[in-house]
Amino acid sequence: EAGVAQSPRYKIIEKRQSVAFWCNPISGHATLYWYQQILGQGPKLLIQFQNNGVVDDSQLPKDRFSAERLKGVDSTLKIQPAKLEDSAVYLCASSLARGIGEQFFGPGTRLTVL
Amino acid sequence: AQSVTQLDSQVPVFEEAPVELRCNYSSSVSVYLFWYVQYPNQGLQLLLKYLSGSTLVKGINGFEAEFNKSQTSFHLRKPSVHISDTAEYFCAVTPTGNQFYFGTGTSLTVIP
């Protein structure tokens, strides 16, 4: 079975620019997560979707970050405008359903903000 | 609130030696516990998880972990490591299965 796909793998932008990341979860997985992993830290949940609805976005900086999952499948995460402190790896994960099932992670997008 | 502490940021160990990666957590409620491994330039992969039942959990690649409720620990062990075990290891907890809290990770380096 195909894993979680993410693109691009790497992105370099200047501060105040905008950037978008794309995630395609494993087919049939209803739950999708976006994590931010800053160098030297563990992943931090930004937002969780159940199908196309938001379950938890309490740690998403909503003044600059947005995410959508319009058809309950693919998802995009956008940063506008980017700040230096947004430099991190952005991980997408999916699971079959909410709860304590296994999350399957994509390879991540490494963002560098100059 | 939940938090996870991985005290050892880097652990070097010789090939075929045993290893223990430490994980302690704090929580006011019962939690489920996980260990993930991250190989270079790859996403996280589940090693093992504790949901309930036996406190000794066996995972993939010969790893095991023991849940100790009184010490709020979930240490990861392997009796004999291989070069291919070189990676970053993350401990995570969740009280509900929705919000996962990850530790800062332990970099395991296996020395030939």
Side-chain angles (χ1 to χ4, degrees), chain A residues 33 94-104, chain B residues 23 31-37 45-61 63-68 73-76 90-94 97 100 102:
Chain A
Y33 311 80
S94 69
S95 63
L96 270 174
R98 294 176 64 182
I100 52 178
E102 180 179 354
Q103 293 186 28
F104 294 83
Chain B
C23 173
V31 295
Y32 306 104
L33 299 141
F34 300 76
W35 274 100
Y36 281 85
V37 60
Q45 178 183 359
L46 181 67
L47 270 179
L48 48 78
K49 60 185 176 184
Y50 173 79
L51 305 181
S52 64
S54 173
T55 57
L56 183 62
V57 180
K58 294 188 182 298
I60 62 171
N61 300 341
F63 283 93
E64 63 180 31
E66 186 158 18
F67 169 55
N68 188 318
S73 67
F74 191 53
H75 300 333
L76 181 70
F90 292 94
C91 181
V93 304
T94 178
F100 278 69
F102 285 83

Side-chain angles (χ1 to χ4, degrees), chain A residues 62-82:
Chain A
K62 299 181 186 62
D63 58 333
R64 297 184 300 106
F65 285 66
S66 64
E68 60 183 13
R69 193 184 184 200
L70 291 175
K71 296 183 179 179
V73 182
D74 294 5
S75 177
T76 55
L77 177 70
K78 297 179 181 178
I79 308 175
Q80 179 180 9

Side-chain angles (χ1 to χ4, degrees), chain A residues 12 20 23 32 48 64:
Chain A
I12 300 175
C23 172
L32 186 145
Q48 177 187 350
R64 297 184 300 106

Side-chain angles (χ1 to χ4, degrees), chain B residues 25-47:
Chain B
Y25 68 93
S26 64
S27 176
S28 57
V29 299
S30 295
V31 295
Y32 306 104
L33 299 141
F34 300 76
W35 274 100
Y36 281 85
V37 60
Q38 187 175 31
Y39 299 105
N41 297 315
Q42 295 186 28
L44 280 73
Q45 178 183 359
L46 181 67
L47 270 179

